Amino acid sequence: TQSTAQSIEDLTQNALQELSQIDNPDELEQWRVRILGRRGELTGILRGLAQLDLEERRQVGALGNQAKAALEEGLEKRGRDISEARLAQVADLERIDVTLPGRPVATGRLHPTTQVLREITDAFVAMGFSIVEGPEVEWDHYNFEMLNIPQGHPARDMWNTLWVDYVNEEGQRPMLLRTHTSPMQARVMESVQPPVRVIVPGKCYRYEATDATHEWHFYQVEGLAVDEGITFADLKGTLYEFARRLFGTERKVRFRCDYFPFVEPGVDMSIDCFSCEGGSGWIEIMGAGMVHPRVLAGVGYDPEKYTGFAFGLGPERIAMLKYGIDDIRHFYSNDLRFLRQF
Ligand code: PHE
């Protein structure tokens, strides 16, 4: 009896001691089989009880059951501890701090036109304008008609147009690649009521021989503000502020009278540029003016009630001024030696 009780006691001590060293599920399972399994050590001792007499069997049996319960409890607790430790380890290794800012990846850079477009739109967004976009393939109707440039009007010659090869039932070719972003003036005014304050960045196309300041495709940013009581002073104030934001306070700005059929009066705006090609001292960056009453009436606005100003500027020209680029054809010739400078 004594010795059986002792071996149960020893076995329990040793087994629990071993258990406390185990730190992975495989070893834990081996331990279970060795101690508590059908052919395990404890099972072996308990089997030997059959040889004892009844009273002894009762005593030692009770001891054996206690030992078994203690070992099973120890096993279960160790199992829990091991899996908790593993979870904690995984959580630590795979922790993601979603508040960390992203790391820059060396995938390249933004095209200089894109960079300047963003600066331009930021400047106008800060002054309360919203950004909208429109189609590059446009109808004659929006590109010309709605802008007070009817068919056969000599002003059409101001825009050398790339016509789309589509003939309608009346035998006309009414589709073109937009020559400017101004068609969006009419599209916007047709869809909303004043007050209107939008800018429209986008690509334009012209059937044109290229030179240092002319490309056959280029970007424009159209601007339109319509409300009650808007005057030419608002136009100048807005465009001066724009020039200050892009070029700083030192560059000079010049307005001259100019003609566009959809504004009256019309102007163009130039920035001083004494190193520029031609040596005139100025480079023109946009056309602008007060929206023509006929354009307002055309979209159903009451020209007696509403006035507005519009402008259309050339981002590539602005990039040329900012970075001292001498030829607009650099922008889209995709020479990496050029592009890598920005
Ligand atoms: N759309 C004109 C052009 O491409 C520029 C312009 C826009 C002029 C708005 C006046 C008002 O030449």
Side-chain angles (χ1 to χ4, degrees), residues 143 147 149 158-159 179-183 185 204 206 218 220-224 235 258-268 284-291 309-313:
N143 198 87
L147 293 170
I149 317 168
M158 292 169 70
W159 296 274
T179 59
H180 49 181
T181 43
S182 301
Q185 290 186 26
C204 308
R206 289 190 198 169
F218 51 90
Q220 277 193 348
V221 178
E222 192 79 11
L224 177 69
L235 178 157
D258 203 345
Y259 169 72
F260 303 94
F262 35 94
V263 289
E264 181 59 35
V267 293
D268 60 53
E284 191 184 318
I285 60 163
M286 72 171 91
M290 299 305 288
V291 181
F309 64 83
F311 56 87
L313 58 86

Side-chain angles (χ1 to χ4, degrees), residues 272-292:
D272 69 290
C273 180
F274 294 99
S275 57
C276 283
E277 194 240 9
S280 70
W282 298 95
I283 183 168
E284 191 184 318
I285 60 163
M286 72 171 91
M290 299 305 288
V291 181
H292 198 289

